[in-house]
Amino acid sequence: MVALLYSTRLSVVGMVSHTLAIICTIFRLIYRGWMHHLWWEDAWAAFALIADVVCLACIWLDSAISSWALTISFTTVLWAARMSVIFSIIPVANHSGSKIHKQITYLIAVSFACMWAALLAQKIHICEFHSCHMGKSVALSLLITDVIADACLVAAPLYLLKNVGLSRSKKTLVQSAFGASLLITAITITHSILLLKFYNTTTLMFAHIKAALSLIICNLLVIVTFIYRVYFKETLDLDRPFASNGVFTSVIVTPMGSGANTLRSLSFQERITAQIGGMKSKDEAEDASVRYAEEGTSTENN
């Protein structure tokens, strides 16, 4: 009867958490595709989605099959979601104009890949020789790697977004979305403590929640962007280039030696300056900058 209760509880928790994560990811991919903003971060999210579907299916599979599948899929969901988050930060670093910023973000991505591979190798070895009974070594490895990874996912955006052209309220909103990675750390600590003591259905339930939550968090920034667009009728988009002067901008490239294009570019820039100068608030100036940047880009393409 107790076993049946645990099994039912695991099925409900796993189904609810994974279903929510899958819905969020599907929405993210559809929205990003509709906005024509699909990039590597979305590819990682799609990869994590596939692994999360496997996690959901394993709830009803035979334990002999699900043990191996869960060992790989749990780790894959978690780290593919983290790769998605760090790849969403890379464009900010690329447009910051700082070589150090680029190196930091790429170094974080490489370190994530190394920790991902190391954990997979360790878990596969345990499944091969110890029937997938994760013990103290896995608990310590998970705790160390998760704390390091989540700290990077919180610290990197806080550092890189300091000079991004967003108002304080918008910047706080974006940083909060990245800061949600700390929730994974909280669950990791609980999960690791359970692994150190015993491995039962409760431990497995926390593993399902951890995987699903990591996928939800990697989609959080896209969902926040969508909500901001719908309810506040303003642009909050990290896909645009950034300038250090506090507003969104775009680079207007003009061929060398082309006087007409050069004059047109200067005239366009003067028009932006005049219009923004007459704005009453910083937010209005930002929105005007975005609007004119888009118009300027389309004009130059024509």
Side-chain angles (χ1 to χ4, degrees), residues 18 47-53 55 72-82 116 210-212 214-215:
H18 287 301
F47 187 50
L49 171 64
I50 296 173
D52 198 64
V53 172
C55 291
I72 297 174
S73 58
F74 276 154
T75 308
T76 300
V77 173
L78 182 63
W79 288 95
R82 284 175 174 155
W116 183 1
K210 179 180 174 181
S214 66
L215 187 55

Side-chain angles (χ1 to χ4, degrees), residues 103-121:
Q103 291 174 343
I104 289 174
T105 51
Y106 285 118
L107 181 61
I108 292 174
V110 171
S111 66
F112 281 8
C114 292
M115 288 188 283
W116 183 1
L119 285 172
L120 272 180

Side-chain angles (χ1 to χ4, degrees), residues 149-272:
D150 293 335
C152 290
L153 291 180
V154 174
L158 288 176
Y159 177 70
L160 292 174
L161 291 174
K162 287 191 301 183
N163 297 320
V164 167
L166 292 173
S167 63
R168 181 174 298 180
S169 59
K170 293 179 182 178
K171 190 180 296 185
T172 301
L173 192 63
V174 173
Q175 290 173 342
S176 299
F178 284 115
S181 297
L182 292 177
L183 292 175
I184 301 297
T185 303
I187 293 180
T188 295
I189 294 173
T190 305
H191 186 221
S192 298
I193 291 174
L194 291 174
L195 279 176
L196 288 172
K197 293 182 176 180
F198 42 76
Y199 189 87
N200 58 11
T201 306
T202 303
T203 310
L204 187 59
M205 184 177 66
F206 269 93
H208 279 284
I209 295 173
K210 179 180 174 181
L213 185 60
S214 66
L215 187 55
I216 293 172
I217 289 175
C218 92
N219 298 315
L220 197 57
L221 185 61
V222 177
I223 296 173
V224 167
T225 301
F226 171 77
I227 294 174
Y228 206 92
R229 285 179 182 270
V230 171
Y231 287 96
F232 296 97
K233 309 300 181 182
E234 294 183 32
T235 300
L236 177 61
D237 200 341
L238 293 184
D239 291 325
R240 299 184 185 280
F242 298 99
S244 60
N245 60 354
V247 296
F248 287 102
T249 184
S250 63
V251 179
I252 304 173
V253 180
T254 57
M256 293 297 293
S258 176
N261 287 337
T262 302
L263 290 175
R264 183 172 56 183
S265 177
L266 289 173
S267 176
F268 172 69
Q269 293 173 358
E270 290 170 357
R271 181 158 56 97
I272 292 178

Side-chain angles (χ1 to χ4, degrees), residues 2-106:
V2 174
L4 180 60
L5 176 61
Y6 279 144
S7 178
T8 302
R9 186 174 63 172
L10 175 63
S11 299
V12 172
V13 171
M15 185 171 61
V16 171
S17 59
H18 287 301
T19 300
L20 182 60
I22 291 169
I23 291 174
C24 289
T25 310
I26 292 175
F27 169 79
R28 177 232 179 92
L29 296 175
I30 293 174
Y31 174 67
R32 296 275 292 180
W34 177 66
M35 295 295 294
H36 304 288
H37 284 169
L38 288 173
W39 197 59
W40 283 107
E41 64 209 65
D42 304 295
W44 283 115
F47 187 50
L49 171 64
I50 296 173
D52 198 64
V53 172
V54 174
C55 291
L56 178 61
C58 286
I59 296 176
W60 296 282
L61 292 179
D62 182 76
S63 59
I65 301 174
S66 63
S67 296
W68 275 89
L70 284 175
T71 297
I72 297 174
S73 58
F74 276 154
T75 308
T76 300
V77 173
L78 182 63
W79 288 95
R82 284 175 174 155
M83 293 294 278
S84 176
V85 175
I86 195 63
F87 268 79
S88 69
I89 303 173
I90 287 178
V92 181
N94 288 341
H95 290 100
S96 67
S98 173
K99 186 177 181 180
I100 296 178
H101 291 173
K102 297 180 184 179
Q103 291 174 343
I104 289 174
T105 51
Y106 285 118

